[in-house]
Amino acid sequence: MSIELEPSWLNILKSEFEQDYMLKLKNFLKEEKNTGQVVYPRGKDIFNAFWTTPFTNLKVVILGQDPYHGANQAHGLSFSVQKGVPLPPSLQNIYKELQTDIPGFIMPTHGDLTEWAEQGVLLLNATLTVRANSAGSHQKSGWEIFTDKVISQISEQKEGVVFLLWGKFAQAKAVLIDEKKHHILKAAHPSPFSAYNGFFGCHHFSKTNAILTKEGKQPIDWQIH
């Protein structure tokens, strides 16, 4: 696992790579590789969210749990899949909500959300790796300590960030966020098991743009091209 990180992120997170938990995490990932386990995403994509959304550009955070565990799906952005891969059910539901929330939104033909990330939407999973075909297999290996630190640093060093917390897991992270400085929008998870319990109709995308506009920031173009 490379510890190269986009410079503005490295500036605030470099000390994390010297912590005991991170050394244990690196050893855990090496052991996975040495025992023949397939791990997603590819090594070069593990920190993709940070490279695509520099700390200096960050305006919105969408928090996921862990990467997709199927072949060619995960590429380091929460809820996003590589082009040419069928849309996962949660992403299909995200697009359905966008169709009803954003006037003129056209259903995309792929699930690569890089365009959002490039506009300042940090697509952050709490766990950044997963074993192939084994959901949640790298949870509690150390990643959550790192990504909790990421959320805390955003809260401390930025202002006016919009956090979209979908589902109980993501909403539990609200304790890391200073609500006096930032905006937290909560809804059910877009999974088919829960989308009808409050994700559909949450209007988080238009609400996010309304907040950004009010603060004098450029709103997000949610259309995926």
Side-chain angles (χ1 to χ4, degrees):
M1 180 183 71
S2 172
I3 62 168
E4 292 182 1
L5 207 60
E6 188 279 330
S8 65
W9 281 109
L10 187 60
N11 185 49
I12 61 172
L13 295 171
K14 54 189 174 184
S15 63
E16 293 303 301
F17 292 95
E18 301 166 3
Q19 303 298 319
D20 286 344
Y21 82 85
M22 185 60 75
L23 298 176
K24 291 177 181 176
L25 173 58
K26 288 167 69 177
N27 288 333
F28 167 76
L29 292 173
K30 286 179 182 177
E31 184 65 19
E32 288 282 86
K33 185 177 180 179
N34 290 340
T35 56
Q37 299 293 340
V38 176
V39 173
Y40 298 130
R42 297 170 296 182
K44 71 180 186 67
D45 288 336
I46 291 174
F47 295 111
N48 191 18
F50 301 92
W51 285 103
T52 315
T53 310
F55 185 77
T56 48
N57 296 350
L58 190 155
K59 297 187 287 190
V60 180
V61 177
I62 299 180
L63 186 65
Q65 191 159 1
D66 61 345
Y68 296 118
H69 54 82
N72 301 316
Q73 289 184 304
H75 63 131
L77 304 177
S78 63
F79 294 102
S80 179
V81 291
Q82 298 182 72
K83 291 179 179 177
V85 177
L87 298 181
S90 291
L91 185 53
Q92 290 182 39
N93 287 337
I94 289 170
Y95 285 170
K96 287 178 183 177
E97 173 60 19
L98 277 159
Q99 278 190 304
T100 62
D101 187 26
I102 301 297
F105 182 86
I106 299 170
M107 185 65 73
T109 58
H110 63 85
D112 185 345
L113 304 181
T114 298
E115 291 177 50
W116 293 0
E118 291 173 342
Q119 296 178 74
V121 181
L122 181 66
L123 298 169
L124 179 67
N125 278 317
T127 302
L128 299 187
T129 57
V130 68
R131 187 183 300 167
N133 305 313
S134 183
S137 50
H138 286 187
Q139 291 177 10
K140 300 181 180 177
S141 61
W143 279 126
E144 292 92 339
I145 302 173
F146 177 73
T147 53
D148 279 0
K149 182 71 172 182
V150 170
I151 296 168
S152 296
Q153 287 298 306
I154 294 170
S155 179
E156 290 176 20
Q157 299 197 36
K158 302 283 283 188
E159 288 190 13
V161 174
V162 184
F163 289 84
L164 306 187
L165 305 183
W166 299 334
K168 292 180 180 178
F169 175 86
Q171 289 166 17
K173 302 294 184 178
V175 296
L176 303 171
I177 304 164
D178 185 347
E179 294 191 55
K180 295 178 181 177
K181 293 171 59 182
H182 302 285
H183 309 274
I184 298 177
L185 300 180
K186 298 179 181 180
H189 194 277
S191 160
F193 299 106
S194 56
Y196 287 96
N197 293 329
F199 179 76
F200 289 137
C202 70
H203 301 293
H204 276 190
F205 305 99
S206 60
K207 288 178 180 178
T208 294
N209 279 352
I211 292 168
L212 294 175
T213 300
K214 186 176 180 180
E215 294 198 349
K217 300 176 182 178
Q218 182 71 25
I220 307 300
D221 177 3
W222 296 108
Q223 181 65 59
I224 298 295
H225 301 93

